Amino acid sequence: MSALIDLTIAGIREGLARGDFSATELTQAYVDAIEAARPLNAFIVETPDKALAMAAESDRRIAAGTARPLEGVPLGIKDLFATEGIHTQACSNVLKGFEPPYESTVTSNLWADGAVMLGKLNMDEFAMGSSNETSAYGPVVNPWRMAGSNAPMTPGGSSGGSAAAVAARLCAGATATDTGGSIRQPAAFTGTVGIKPTYGRCSRWGIVAFASSLDQAGPIARDVRDAAILLKSMASVDAKDATSVDLPVPDYEAAIGQSVKGLRIGIPKEYRVEGMPEEIERLWQQGIAWLRDAGAEIVDISLPHTKYALPAYYIVAPAEASSNLARYDGVRFGLRQGGGDGIVDLYEKSRAAGFGREVKRRILIGTYVLSAGYYDAYYLQAQKVRTLIKRDFETVFAAGVDTILTPATPSAAFGLEAMATASPVEMYLNDVFTVTVNMAGLPGIAVPAGLDQKGLPLGLQLIGRPFDESTLFKVGKVIEDAAGHFSPERWW
Amino acid sequence: MNLALRTPDPKKLLKGATGDWEVVVGMEVHAQVTSKSKLFSGASTEFGGAPNSHVSLVDAAMPGMLPVINAECVAQAVRTGLGLKAKINPVSVFDRKNYFYPDLPQGYQISQYKQPIVGEGEITVDLEGGETITVGIERLHLEQDAGKSVHDQHPTLSYVDLNRSGVALMEIVSRPDLRSAEEASAYLSKLRTILRYLGTCDGNMDEGSLRADVNVSVRRPGDPLGTRCEIKNVNSIRFVRQAVEAEARRQIGIIEDGGTIDQETRLFDPSKGETRSMRSKEEAHDYRYFPDPDLLPLELDEAWIASLAEGLPELPDAKKARFIAEYGLSAYDATVLVDEKATADFYEAAARGRDPKIVANWVTQELAFRLNKDGKGIEESPVSPEQIGAVVDLIADGTISGKIAKDLFDIVWSEGGDPRAIVEARGMKQVTDTGAIEKVVEEIIAANPEKVEQLKAKPTLAGWFVGQVMKASGGKANPQAVNDILKRKLGL
């Protein structure tokens, strides 16, 4: 049955329609693959019974001729999404035992379209991390290894479980979220496609909040078409999320295969950062060449405030997080410790035991930058920078640039624990090419573009105009066609 | 500045051991918005539900839940702003006020900090003795109420009831324009009246729908403002008066003893009639306000504001002016009648087509007295406007005397029924038959020759004869006819 798990979502759709296999057979193949891949630590909760029940319903629908757009497509769900009656902990101890009585809007949309739930995926605790090492469940192991080495590599983060599971064929696609690069960086590290749509495209309702003004859900998929298919189902306006946007969701798949002739592709000079490996530069030039060959027009552009994006991001995101995570107090749900000495004792002990180091670090930073006397110097200043970054993009788009091409990450995947002794800031530098997109609320896609000298995948990033995900899929498909597909060799 | 404009009124100064003191008061009133559901959730706002029976997932701050603004609460705040003759801000912003407390599930209160929905306005306050002052309103903003901690249900544990959590409050901030305990209570009373007219707050202080934080300071007349103390959560108009009085006395005592006032938050203990310290300025929270990223700035449409303005009811000041002009009432009677909209409506219904002053007397005296005695509101009055009107008509057409009218009112109050029919059935009609009255007068004169003799030296004794005649006629004799006949018969 191994052939079944190699199918893309588009392939599953055709196969099920033709009756080549049943949704139940497909789901069973994934259930087996997940069981065999436990060393990857990608799934922290497996829900095979639920998956098979959903697959059986899909088979009934297919037989009745009432198949829905994602009928029988087995998906993995990042642990940040609330799933009714099923473990939802944002991979944090502070939410120990939490099973929400509600389902997130994004996952509800997916189930309504016929998708099948395989289980919950590992991630950095509260989506705070770039290596999946902050998870309370331990890190995910990247299915990719350096050539000739058994050293475990990071799948990136925070959606490391989603990226690894898709790359290792443990699910046909996965939900993920991106606050500063948490979809695109792991996608780049695993040879998968990940898109962070425009802020407001997907509802945030039922997604455990990290930084509300930056968080956005999106898919990680095997290829560009699958990402387009999944986003179509995930996206919606939602009366329960005031920041979701009431625009029709286009048929993204229709963009796949369209010509990029005459499109203007901006190349921002500020993304050539110091210390960037030469092979990243080469990859970027290769991407430029592919798009030029496909008929696109390449223009050099400037986004002058780029260098301020990362420091500003690490003020805004922790500030919002420090407030968003105040609700984890041991009173109503999740972990409760202490309390014998009163309510403050309960707060202190529950939060001390419940949150990991990185989460605590960010709560402290966020609390600090919002404090009286520091607010203007930090938070307000960061918001001003954010406005300038947004304006940088608006200026180049107004000048006729259709999409912007950059590297997705400053390096390929690194070894697990390689950053153990590094300063947190070094880890934060992973987000240098991706945070600007969140700060400006724009859509960004990471598409695999090649392998580095050690045989690890590298990705390119495309940044689009607000709500112009279609152009990203169109251009991304051209890169994908030129670069080819990349799959890890199975060792687990 | 308003402060300099008001010349200290010697009558209002407090006498200390070392001279006179002026008390300065400003108030922050929390008024619960009249609305079916909460400010950011669909849960009911009904008072008195079983604990935690009106709590949505949003109110309980479950992970991933998002606030969505309730348009009716916004409309109520705008109506209130219009009623306070205040500037309505076309753009306002919701902020998070961060602090930990068991009855604050989110770990922050959503409030408005820098950009409130309503700006400067004013309230005209009538004081006893005919004086009128204008009190400046600094702002009105919308915010969430907290839940309630319950400490008396268990020997060692506290309970939390979240029914109130998320209910919309308007915080109405006055300028420090009040100069006495009487002014402070009159201000709160007038504000309550306006809110009840507008239907934007039921003003029910027993249920906590209206409560005041009272800022009190003292100074020598003409001096700059003294250090203020804030008395939290005063929940009756009477307590406001007592709290200001007690706090001003406390502060004067300290200063006259050579001490200084520490800025702090205090509580008023009505049983002891004193305020006590709650927390010092040093213990004050750093609330780390920042704009709530889950909510977009609130933008109000001018036409919508205009339509709300058009729908406003006649407010007490306008009604009072109209009552004086249209019905010829005294300012005092008009003030009393408009204090409650229901009373004013009752009055107008009863006064229609009758002598408005006489009806005013009946409503403000007989009816008000009975209602007060039985602890009833005007809405629960057993006597309807039509019944009062009928009583007044019966006096006006000479069917009954004023004295009989009071008996009749008592019967209508306790038994109900049509006043005219009662008068007929119970023979309460006034005797205007002069022949019959003459007969009684003659009998009385004949039976009391010594009194007739005394009358010559003491003309005031005529009243005794009137009383005897009225008594003998069972109160039904027309007093005017009795007077006339007595005068004639006794040669007065």
Side-chain angles (χ1 to χ4, degrees):
Chain A
M1 295 302 273
S2 75
L4 283 185
I5 62 169
D6 289 333
L7 291 169
T8 61
I9 293 173
I12 290 169
R13 199 167 54 188
E14 285 167 32
L16 285 173
R18 275 200 308 263
D20 294 351
F21 51 87
S22 69
T24 302
E25 287 169 317
L26 176 70
T27 295
Q28 188 60 54
Y30 275 114
V31 167
D32 296 343
I34 291 166
E35 205 181 314
R38 286 186 185 147
L40 296 180
N41 200 26
F43 276 86
I44 51 159
V45 175
E46 298 166 17
T47 55
D49 295 344
K50 182 176 174 75
L52 289 166
M54 291 172 93
E57 168 66 13
S58 287
D59 283 330
R60 274 192 292 277
R61 290 262 192 168
I62 292 163
T66 55
R68 298 160 292 180
L70 285 177
E71 200 65 72
V73 175
L75 301 178
I77 303 301
K78 189 178 181 179
D79 199 31
L80 206 61
F81 292 81
T83 42
E84 191 175 348
I86 294 167
H87 168 113
T88 300
Q89 284 190 215
C91 284
S92 177
N93 277 325
V94 87
L95 274 167
K96 207 176 187 72
F98 182 61
E99 293 180 352
Y102 48 91
E103 185 80 29
S104 82
T105 299
V106 164
T107 48
S108 294
N109 289 345
L110 290 168
W111 313 143
D113 273 358
V116 168
M117 161 140 163
L118 291 168
K120 298 302 283 283
L121 292 163
N122 204 344
M123 56 180 279
D124 280 298
E125 182 181 6
F126 282 105
M128 297 177 191
S130 302
S131 66
N132 223 293
E133 290 168 294
T134 72
S135 167
Y137 295 86
V140 175
V141 180
N142 195 330
W144 288 87
R145 286 171 165 179
M146 291 184 288
S149 166
N150 289 339
M153 309 300 288
T154 176
S158 67
S159 309
S162 305
V166 171
R169 288 156 167 43
L170 308 183
C171 53
T175 66
T177 61
D178 189 317
T179 304
S182 281
I183 289 175
R184 293 157 290 161
Q185 184 250 23
F189 278 11
T190 57
T192 55
V193 175
I195 182 165
K196 180 205 92 74
T198 313
Y199 185 77
R201 181 69 289 180
C202 291
S203 168
R204 292 184 296 114
W205 193 87
I207 301 173
V208 175
F210 162 14
S212 312
S213 74
L214 300 158
D215 294 346
Q216 188 58 208
I220 291 180
R222 304 267 176 87
D223 63 14
V224 175
R225 181 184 296 271
D226 281 6
I229 294 170
L230 286 174
L231 183 59
K232 166 82 179 158
S233 287
M234 291 168 73
S236 66
V237 66
D238 185 357
K240 293 183 285 189
D241 176 3
T243 62
S244 71
V245 175
D246 190 8
L247 281 175
V249 182
D251 177 11
Y252 297 123
E253 208 181 343
I256 306 292
Q258 284 181 5
S259 167
V260 298
K261 225 182 183 85
L263 276 187
R264 289 162 69 91
I265 312 291
I267 310 299
K269 64 172 188 230
E270 289 81 5
Y271 282 61
R272 198 158 279 120
V273 297
E274 210 178 309
M276 190 167 84
E278 205 182 309
E279 53 192 345
I280 300 286
E281 173 66 33
R282 267 206 305 276
L283 181 86
W284 197 6
Q285 292 307 322
Q286 180 63 70
I288 292 170
W290 286 330
L291 293 178
R292 188 184 286 123
D293 292 348
E297 186 189 339
I298 306 300
V299 288
D300 287 325
I301 59 167
S302 174
L303 299 165
H305 297 94
T306 301
K307 67 171 176 234
Y308 304 113
L310 196 65
Y313 170 85
Y314 275 98
I315 289 168
V316 174
E320 293 183 12
S322 70
S323 177
N324 282 335
L325 271 58
R327 66 186 58 197
Y328 307 108
D329 56 9
V331 174
R332 298 172 312 288
F333 44 74
L335 185 74
R336 175 183 287 190
Q337 303 235 311
D341 235 358
I343 187 70
V344 174
D345 179 59
L346 180 98
Y347 291 154
E348 288 178 354
K349 295 215 169 87
S350 300
R351 288 168 69 84
F355 292 134
R357 275 183 73 83
E358 183 60 26
V359 172
K360 284 177 188 161
R361 185 191 334 275
R362 296 195 195 192
I363 290 173
L364 286 173
I365 292 171
T367 304
Y368 179 81
V369 299
L370 289 175
S371 298
Y374 299 97
Y375 179 89
D376 288 359
Y378 290 104
Y379 185 79
L380 208 60
Q381 194 68 11
Q383 290 293 12
K384 287 179 191 163
V385 168
R386 193 169 180 182
T387 305
L388 292 172
I389 290 165
K390 215 170 165 181
R391 197 173 301 159
D392 280 355
F393 283 107
E394 285 164 2
T395 306
V396 299
F397 288 133
V401 167
D402 294 296
T403 182
I404 296 164
L405 179 72
T406 78
T409 55
S411 74
F414 44 90
L416 285 172
E417 290 182 40
M419 306 282 269
T421 57
S423 89
V425 176
E426 280 183 63
M427 186 68 95
Y428 297 167
L429 283 169
N430 263 283
D431 301 333
V432 68
F433 297 141
T434 46
V435 286
T436 51
V437 176
N438 301 78
M439 293 290 267
L442 300 172
I445 190 170
V447 180
L451 300 179
D452 74 355
Q453 291 159 340
K454 297 173 200 149
L456 294 174
L458 292 171
L460 286 170
Q461 172 180 237
L462 293 160
I463 304 168
R465 297 168 189 269
F467 298 99
D468 189 16
E469 285 82 3
S470 288
T471 297
L472 299 187
F473 290 124
K474 178 159 66 181
V475 181
K477 175 67 175 161
V478 170
I479 292 172
E480 182 179 74
D481 285 348
H485 293 270
F486 305 92
S487 294
E489 273 192 49
R490 188 175 159 176
W491 52 263
W492 55 89
Chain B
M1 275 286 276
N2 265 345
L3 300 176
L5 288 177
R6 263 190 98 183
T7 319
D9 179 349
K11 289 197 301 293
K12 296 187 179 174
L13 298 180
L14 294 176
K15 300 260 179 278
T18 61
D20 287 347
W21 295 87
E22 185 178 37
V23 56
V24 176
V25 181
M27 251 190 264
E28 292 158 25
V29 173
H30 290 90
Q32 183 182 326
V33 174
T34 299
S35 64
K36 284 201 177 64
S37 53
K38 297 182 180 181
L39 183 54
F40 298 110
S41 87
S44 165
T45 58
E46 203 181 316
F47 180 79
N52 296 308
S53 60
H54 300 328
V55 185
S56 79
L57 296 168
V58 176
D59 307 325
M62 301 299 275
M65 292 301 100
L66 298 172
V68 176
I69 187 77
N70 176 345
E72 179 55 18
C73 295
V74 175
Q76 292 286 56
V78 171
R79 286 186 191 107
T80 306
L82 293 168
L84 301 177
K85 291 174 250 171
K87 181 177 179 290
I88 307 300
N89 292 323
V91 178
S92 62
V93 173
F94 286 102
D95 296 280
R96 291 187 185 176
K97 178 180 180 179
N98 294 282
Y99 64 98
F100 282 89
Y101 208 71
D103 60 21
L104 188 74
Q106 291 169 139
Y108 54 85
Q109 175 196 35
I110 305 178
S111 180
Q112 295 189 301
Y113 183 48
K114 286 188 179 158
Q115 291 177 260
I117 185 166
V118 175
E120 292 189 347
E122 61 180 46
I123 295 184
T124 304
V125 180
D126 295 317
L127 303 171
E128 278 174 40
E131 190 190 356
T132 294
I133 56 168
T134 301
V135 180
I137 299 294
E138 197 168 289
R139 58 184 282 164
L140 174 157
H141 68 252
L142 279 167
E143 64 183 28
Q144 296 176 299
D145 202 352
K148 194 172 73 175
S149 297
V150 185
H151 302 296
D152 56 2
Q153 302 287 308
H154 189 280
T156 56
L157 300 176
S158 289
Y159 288 79
V160 176
D161 177 3
L162 295 180
N163 281 355
R164 291 190 73 94
S165 168
V167 165
L169 300 179
M170 297 180 282
E171 180 172 326
I172 302 164
V173 183
S174 85
R175 293 197 165 280
D177 287 352
L178 302 159
R179 292 292 177 272
S180 68
E182 292 69 30
E183 288 190 8
S185 60
Y187 164 77
L188 184 57
S189 174
K190 181 61 179 283
L191 175 59
R192 179 175 179 273
T193 297
I194 294 173
L195 295 172
R196 285 169 57 85
Y197 263 71
L198 290 164
T200 57
C201 170
D202 65 21
N204 219 324
M205 299 189 80
D206 298 341
E207 294 176 2
S209 299
L210 194 69
R211 42 196 203 263
D213 297 343
V214 189
N215 288 287
V216 179
S217 65
V218 297
R219 62 176 171 186
R220 295 290 189 187
D223 275 6
L225 286 173
T227 303
R228 69 187 157 88
C229 290
E230 181 182 19
I231 311 164
K232 277 273 179 207
N233 270 329
V234 185
N235 62 0
S236 95
I237 290 170
R238 191 160 50 93
F239 291 164
V240 165
R241 182 188 280 247
Q242 293 170 357
V244 171
E245 188 78 38
E247 178 60 14
R249 287 287 169 202
R250 186 189 72 88
Q251 293 185 13
I252 291 168
I254 289 172
I255 301 170
E256 290 193 328
D257 285 350
T260 51
I261 304 303
D262 297 324
Q263 187 177 332
E264 61 182 355
T265 303
R266 302 181 66 84
L267 284 174
F268 177 64
D269 182 343
S271 62
K272 292 193 178 129
E274 61 186 32
T275 67
R276 60 183 154 81
S277 185
M278 187 177 156
R279 59 172 179 259
S280 72
K281 193 186 178 187
E282 289 69 35
E283 294 167 276
H285 297 290
D286 179 353
Y287 289 121
R288 291 172 284 122
Y289 281 101
F290 75 107
D292 191 330
D294 286 331
L295 293 159
L296 302 172
L298 188 58
E299 293 180 23
L300 305 181
D301 179 46
E302 285 298 327
W304 183 69
I305 296 171
S307 73
L308 291 177
E310 246 169 67
L312 286 191
E314 182 183 39
L315 292 175
D317 291 343
K319 199 182 281 290
K320 179 184 157 189
R322 182 167 64 79
F323 278 15
I324 293 170
E326 200 172 303
Y327 300 125
L329 300 185
S330 68
Y332 177 79
D333 277 353
T335 304
V336 171
L337 286 172
V338 304
D339 187 48
E340 290 279 348
K341 186 173 177 293
T343 307
D345 291 347
F346 186 103
Y347 166 72
E348 287 210 88
R352 200 166 296 132
R354 303 190 171 93
D355 183 328
K357 288 187 197 173
I358 293 175
V359 175
N361 285 341
W362 275 90
V363 174
T364 60
Q365 290 169 30
E366 203 64 27
L367 179 66
F369 172 77
R370 290 302 300 259
L371 288 171
N372 195 33
K373 194 174 155 217
D374 287 18
K376 283 184 156 73
I378 189 95
E379 298 89 343
E380 306 153 293
S381 169
V383 178
S384 70
E386 292 70 30
Q387 287 169 318
I388 285 243
V391 172
V392 170
D393 288 345
L394 288 165
I395 306 169
D397 64 16
T399 309
I400 56 172
S401 68
K403 187 177 180 311
I404 291 289
K406 290 187 181 176
D407 298 339
L408 175 60
F409 178 86
D410 281 345
I411 294 167
V412 176
W413 175 278
S414 44
E415 300 171 27
D418 172 17
R420 197 171 286 277
I422 293 169
V423 167
E424 286 290 345
R426 307 198 185 185
M428 296 170 79
K429 264 189 166 170
Q430 184 165 249
V431 179
T432 44
D433 173 355
T434 47
I437 296 173
E438 261 190 64
K439 193 165 162 259
V440 177
V441 168
E442 278 162 8
E443 280 167 20
I444 302 253
I445 288 173
N448 298 285
E450 73 288 3
K451 291 274 179 197
V452 175
E453 200 53 38
Q454 287 168 18
L455 184 70
K456 284 168 184 155
K458 202 178 169 193
T460 50
L461 214 57
W464 183 85
F465 282 95
V466 175
Q468 291 302 305
V469 177
M470 292 307 285
K471 199 175 160 190
S473 73
K476 287 184 280 185
N478 182 327
Q480 193 56 49
V482 174
N483 264 326
D484 292 347
I485 293 164
L486 267 173
K487 273 182 187 170
R488 184 156 41 80
K489 295 274 178 200
L490 293 170
L492 291 168

